[in-house]
Amino acid sequence: MSTRLGSFTISPVSASQSSHLRALESESIHIVREAVAESENPVLLFSGGKDSALVLRLAIKAFWPARLPFPVMHVDTGHNFDEVLEFRDRIVTELEADLIVASVQEAIDQGRVVEETGPRASRNRLQTETLLNAIDKHRFDVVFGGARRDEEKARAKERVFSFRDEFGQWDPKSQRPELWSLYNGRHRKGEHMRVFPISNWTEMDVWQYIEDQGIELPSVYFSHRRRVFERDGMLMAESPYLNLIDGEEVFEAIVRFRTVGDMTCTGGFESTASSVGEIIEEVAVTRITERGASRADDRTAEAAMEDRKREGYF
């Protein structure tokens, strides 16, 4: 039996889907409920991207028909796709959820972080301090995120309940064992847990669940005509936040984006996939992860993601 909440349809996984997908949903809902039961002040990170939209849907299911019992938070670089911000605001309004915006621009204005300069400058690394400051300001003790282990090598090391010390930092050697789906969320004042309900999902699982549940996403995930330029093998969207380097030229192309984030480090690629079903067909034949294919910030060094995670990144 399905019910509706705004544009959301709350329904069980269809009988046509695999038992694998139903098991993943059940595990994720269990994780969300366990984390909330062990916390005093949780929050869900919501960027408007597909993974955070999926975690939001699972959280709604976990407590339906009650209202979402915690706020959602977006760490806003100020360099986002307009389509993603419109989607974020509309979904939050429909859910009557509390939205917290942790602003990187505000952190720059207050002198807490220093903005990079140059044609390849990005605010992506500045999200870490902004996130940690927001966690400390609001005294959040559990932070739900949409990271998956198949995304990147550092995230493959991540526990479902990821312990962060009083400085918000991550040490892979000090993480707690998780046997038989038992999670240890205990922490002292000032420490917190990052909780990743879809750790065991793959990109294919995510898209199949999105199709089955009819989850709405920002339009940039689907094929559309856009002014872009080529940089480092990626098609970067023309924007006021990116300056062209000598030799780069803007042209129009039919593209889509596999991830959405800061426009200065998120690349697209040529694609005609205009529906979830067509995207699933694309994902089935690709051999490159979405971050490996479209995130310039992960290409700066072999251990770029792990270094950022140790500092307190998502």
Side-chain angles (χ1 to χ4, degrees), residues 1 7 10 20 25 28 37 41 47-48 52 58 71 75 96 99 117 120 125 164 175 187 212 233 271 274 285 290 307:
M1 180 179 178
S7 64
I10 310 300
H20 167 70
E25 180 192 65
S28 298
N41 191 21
S47 65
S52 64
L58 293 166
V75 181
E96 298 182 353
L99 173 65
T117 58
R120 297 180 184 273
R125 294 187 68 92
R164 304 300 170 107
Q175 298 302 303
H187 56 276
D212 183 77
S271 170
S274 58
V285 297
E290 65 260 50
D307 291 342

Side-chain angles (χ1 to χ4, degrees), residues 81 83 219-226 253-257 271-274:
F81 290 89
E83 301 94 323
S219 59
V220 294
Y221 277 110
F222 303 95
S223 175
H224 61 286
R225 182 174 293 277
R226 198 177 200 102
I254 304 297
V255 301
R256 76 175 191 87
F257 294 82
S271 170
T272 59
S274 58

Side-chain angles (χ1 to χ4, degrees), residues 85-288:
L85 292 181
E86 183 277 329
F87 172 78
R88 179 202 70 183
D89 292 342
R90 178 164 50 81
I91 293 300
V92 168
T93 299
E94 288 182 2
L95 290 175
E96 298 182 353
D98 297 323
L99 173 65
I100 297 169
V101 177
S103 170
V104 171
Q105 182 62 58
E106 183 178 296
I108 294 171
D109 294 342
Q110 294 176 352
R112 291 189 281 112
V113 295
V114 177
E115 187 161 21
E116 297 177 7
T117 58
R120 297 180 184 273
S122 171
R123 290 184 173 183
N124 203 50
R125 294 187 68 92
L126 306 186
Q127 291 180 91
T128 299
E129 193 282 337
T130 306
L131 170 64
L132 295 178
N133 181 264
I135 291 172
D136 181 65
K137 175 183 177 181
H138 297 281
R139 300 182 184 277
F140 293 128
D141 59 349
V142 159
V143 181
F144 290 106
R148 308 186 325 267
R149 292 190 177 118
D150 76 322
E151 288 182 272
E152 200 275 338
K153 290 183 291 185
R155 284 182 167 167
K157 299 179 181 180
E158 193 71 90
R159 297 289 195 268
V160 174
F161 276 50
S162 178
F163 172 74
R164 304 300 170 107
D165 65 20
E166 63 271 27
F167 302 106
Q169 297 177 333
W170 174 71
D171 180 0
K173 295 181 180 179
S174 67
Q175 298 302 303
R176 299 162 183 176
E178 293 177 341
L179 305 174
W180 307 293
S181 298
L182 298 175
Y183 306 109
N184 182 354
R186 289 183 295 177
H187 56 276
R188 294 189 294 267
K189 185 177 181 180
E191 301 170 342
H192 71 276
M193 305 296 293
R194 305 280 174 88
V195 177
F196 303 109
I198 61 171
S199 288
N200 293 328
W201 296 54
T202 65
E203 184 184 11
M204 178 63 82
D205 295 328
V206 170
W207 281 111
Q208 288 178 335
Y209 190 84
I210 287 170
E211 181 180 48
D212 183 77
Q213 297 290 293
I215 298 176
E216 186 182 359
L217 295 176
S219 59
V220 294
Y221 277 110
F222 303 95
S223 175
H224 61 286
R225 182 174 293 277
R226 198 177 200 102
R227 287 174 59 81
V228 298
F229 61 91
E230 186 173 355
R231 176 177 292 179
D232 301 329
M234 299 182 294
L235 296 181
M236 309 299 293
E238 181 185 38
S239 81
Y241 316 124
L242 278 166
N243 296 318
L244 297 180
I245 301 173
D246 289 344
E248 294 178 341
E249 294 184 1
V250 175
F251 58 94
E252 283 197 353
I254 304 297
V255 301
R256 76 175 191 87
F257 294 82
R258 287 177 73 184
T259 66
V260 296
D262 190 300
M263 295 184 72
T264 62
C265 61
T266 303
F269 64 101
E270 292 189 274
S271 170
T272 59
S274 58
S275 68
V276 175
E278 292 173 342
I279 290 174
I280 289 173
E281 292 178 2
E282 272 191 354
V283 173
V285 297
T286 188
R287 293 295 177 265
I288 304 175

Side-chain angles (χ1 to χ4, degrees), residues 9-64:
T9 300
I10 310 300
S11 60
V13 175
S14 64
S16 62
Q17 284 293 351
S18 66
S19 58
H20 167 70
L21 203 59
R22 292 195 294 273
L24 285 174
E25 180 192 65
S26 178
E27 177 189 57
S28 298
I29 289 175
H30 168 71
I31 289 167
V32 172
R33 289 171 175 165
E34 283 292 302
V36 171
E38 295 190 37
S39 67
E40 294 182 359
N41 191 21
V43 68
L44 188 151
L45 296 178
F46 181 63
S47 65
K50 71 180 190 308
D51 296 318
S52 64
L54 171 57
V55 174
L56 179 60
R57 175 63 62 89
L58 293 166
I60 292 169
K61 280 194 168 189
F63 301 103
W64 181 260

Side-chain angles (χ1 to χ4, degrees), residues 71-83:
V72 299
M73 179 166 70
H74 180 206
V75 181
D76 182 4
T77 66
H79 291 171
N80 298 286
F81 290 89
D82 290 339
E83 301 94 323

